[in-house]
Amino acid sequence: MNYFLGLIVATLAVHLSFSHLGQTPDRYWDLVAFAMVFGGTIAVSLIILPWSSFRLLFSGFLKIGFHRLQNKKEFLKTNVEFLQSIQLGLPRPQLTESKF
């Protein structure tokens, strides 16, 4: 929930700044600033991510990005169950390579 609230606040702040200054979004684009913010975000995420979860997360991203999923419904069902168990405070189910 905090994630969505943060996205809403950030989006509203950007739109308010556009309307207040009467400028277009292309005036805010700067490749160096984008690279620093994006790189910093990834760096902080890697720093705080527990190493026990890193391998699972990385392999999941690789499979999503570079492999065709054979059964998309099963993949989504597994991930929804995993997220629901986290929200309910239940022990996390073990995700294996075969479930991806």
Side-chain angles (χ1 to χ4, degrees):
M1 181 64 184
N2 290 338
Y3 177 76
F4 292 115
L5 185 60
L7 284 176
I8 291 168
V9 169
T11 304
L12 287 174
V14 169
H15 284 290
L16 285 173
S17 67
F18 289 157
S19 64
H20 176 70
L21 296 174
Q23 296 178 348
T24 58
D26 64 334
R27 302 273 299 167
Y28 287 87
W29 175 251
D30 182 17
L31 181 60
V32 174
F34 175 77
M36 289 180 69
V37 169
F38 185 75
T41 302
I42 298 299
V44 168
S45 299
L46 291 175
I47 289 169
I48 65 171
L49 183 68
W51 282 107
S52 60
S53 302
F54 182 73
R55 188 175 77 85
L56 180 63
L57 181 68
F58 188 70
S59 68
F61 280 136
L62 286 177
K63 289 194 183 288
I64 288 171
F66 298 108
H67 296 288
R68 292 196 59 133
L69 299 173
Q70 299 300 325
N71 187 351
K72 292 180 182 179
K73 287 184 180 182
E74 182 64 30
F75 176 79
L76 290 174
K77 180 180 175 244
T78 301
N79 286 306
V80 167
E81 289 173 358
F82 182 74
L83 292 174
Q84 285 175 343
S85 70
I86 292 172
Q87 286 178 339
L88 296 174
L90 301 173
R92 294 181 183 183
Q94 292 294 332
L95 296 178
T96 60
E97 294 291 325
S98 63
K99 286 197 174 186
F100 283 107

